[in-house]
Amino acid sequence: MTEHQPDQPSGTSRRAGGPEEGRPQAAGQSPVAGLAAEYAAKAGLHRTHDGRVDVLRSAGGVQGIAESIVPGLVFLVAFTVTRELPLSLVAALASAAVFTVVRLVQRRPLTQALAGVAGVGISAWLANTTGKAEDFYLPGFFTNAAYILAMVISIAVKWPVAGLLFGFIRNEGVEWRKEPDRVKAYRLGTWIIVAVLALRLIVQVPLYLMGTDGLAALATTRLIMGAPLYILGIWVAWLVTRPAPAETETEAGQAA
């Protein structure tokens, strides 16, 4: 799922003497552009050396993806085999803790692993409190809904999240907001990400409501619609928000 050609910067002013795609923005950028870059960095979005979005790395890389799916998988397998909720919850917590130890050994940042342990801990506490195995997956629904709300608000106030993220990658900063076509494209890109998140709820909530009868299907769809679907959604959003190359081609013809 990698593009063959890097995106061209949009806007005439950015083509003339502007920073090349994939390189850090020049010093002296506006405070708002700096905030956008900081937001993209905190969101975990990364770019390749030639200016494309590094989707796999943005999803946390292979290790990050494993950290997000293994605890849930361990919980499902343990509960299916033993039907012992406390034991299954401990197994899930232990698997999350292992990734933290691995990161310590690797001397890598612990933020993602600790966030994973905290997330699994909250899920385990809730399931243990209610005594319902399916409640292990309940916090994820609220997180998903919160992301949807935030993105819809960003569209409504004309600061679509896709623009903040991809504008940083493409060295557009927040200059894209001056171009109606770019704002429209980034709104569409944000709606695509919203659709991915909404699809998770549409598919998974009914399975959750089935109780233990839907647990296996719920856990399976959580795995499939987790990192893999997120990667696909980001990639599609990146493609539909690519700047139009028309001006670049026209300029090349005039130069010839």
Side-chain angles (χ1 to χ4, degrees):
M1 297 189 298
T2 304
E3 298 173 62
H4 296 293
Q5 296 295 332
D7 288 347
Q8 298 296 326
S10 68
T12 305
S13 63
R14 288 189 296 281
R15 289 191 184 95
E20 293 183 18
E21 192 82 31
R23 291 186 181 179
Q25 294 187 15
Q29 64 181 357
S30 71
V32 178
L35 288 174
E38 183 179 351
Y39 175 80
K42 287 183 177 180
L45 208 64
H46 300 274
R47 57 186 174 188
T48 61
H49 66 282
D50 55 359
R52 302 169 184 155
V53 62
D54 191 334
V55 180
L56 180 60
R57 188 181 173 198
S58 297
V62 175
Q63 183 172 332
I65 293 173
E67 290 171 356
S68 68
I69 67 175
V70 168
L73 180 61
V74 168
F75 171 75
L76 173 64
V77 172
F79 186 76
T80 300
V81 172
T82 67
R83 288 292 168 178
E84 292 289 337
L85 181 57
L87 176 62
S88 303
L89 296 174
V90 169
L93 279 168
S95 65
V98 166
F99 285 112
T100 303
V101 174
V102 169
R103 282 184 176 261
L104 279 171
V105 172
Q106 296 173 333
R107 295 185 178 180
R108 297 178 60 185
L110 298 176
T111 305
Q112 183 170 347
L114 291 177
V117 171
V120 174
I122 292 172
S123 298
W125 171 82
L126 181 61
N128 188 61
T129 300
T130 63
K132 297 179 180 180
E134 62 271 23
D135 281 349
F136 180 80
Y137 300 99
L138 185 58
F141 296 148
F142 291 103
T143 301
N144 222 60
Y147 279 124
I148 291 174
L149 179 61
M151 291 190 184
V152 170
I153 291 175
S154 78
I155 293 171
V157 299
K158 298 182 179 180
W159 281 91
V161 167
L164 294 175
L165 298 178
F166 298 152
F168 163 68
I169 297 291
R170 292 176 171 133
N171 284 328
E172 293 176 301
V174 292
E175 293 296 308
W176 52 268
R177 297 192 73 247
K178 299 178 181 178
E179 303 176 23
D181 288 344
R182 299 300 295 137
V183 174
K184 183 178 179 180
Y186 281 132
R187 289 179 65 185
L188 176 58
T190 305
W191 277 122
I192 289 174
I193 300 173
V194 168
V196 167
L197 300 177
L199 183 61
R200 290 176 177 174
L201 296 179
I202 292 171
V203 172
Q204 295 171 16
V205 169
L207 296 174
Y208 166 79
L209 295 176
M210 292 173 60
T212 54
D213 291 338
L215 183 63
L218 173 59
T220 302
T221 54
R222 282 290 291 266
L223 295 178
I224 296 173
M225 303 181 79
L229 188 62
Y230 169 78
I231 290 173
L232 177 61
I234 291 293
W235 180 64
V236 173
W238 172 264
L239 290 179
V240 302
T241 59
R242 293 185 67 178
E247 290 185 30
T248 301
E249 292 173 358
T250 302
E251 290 170 3
Q254 290 175 347

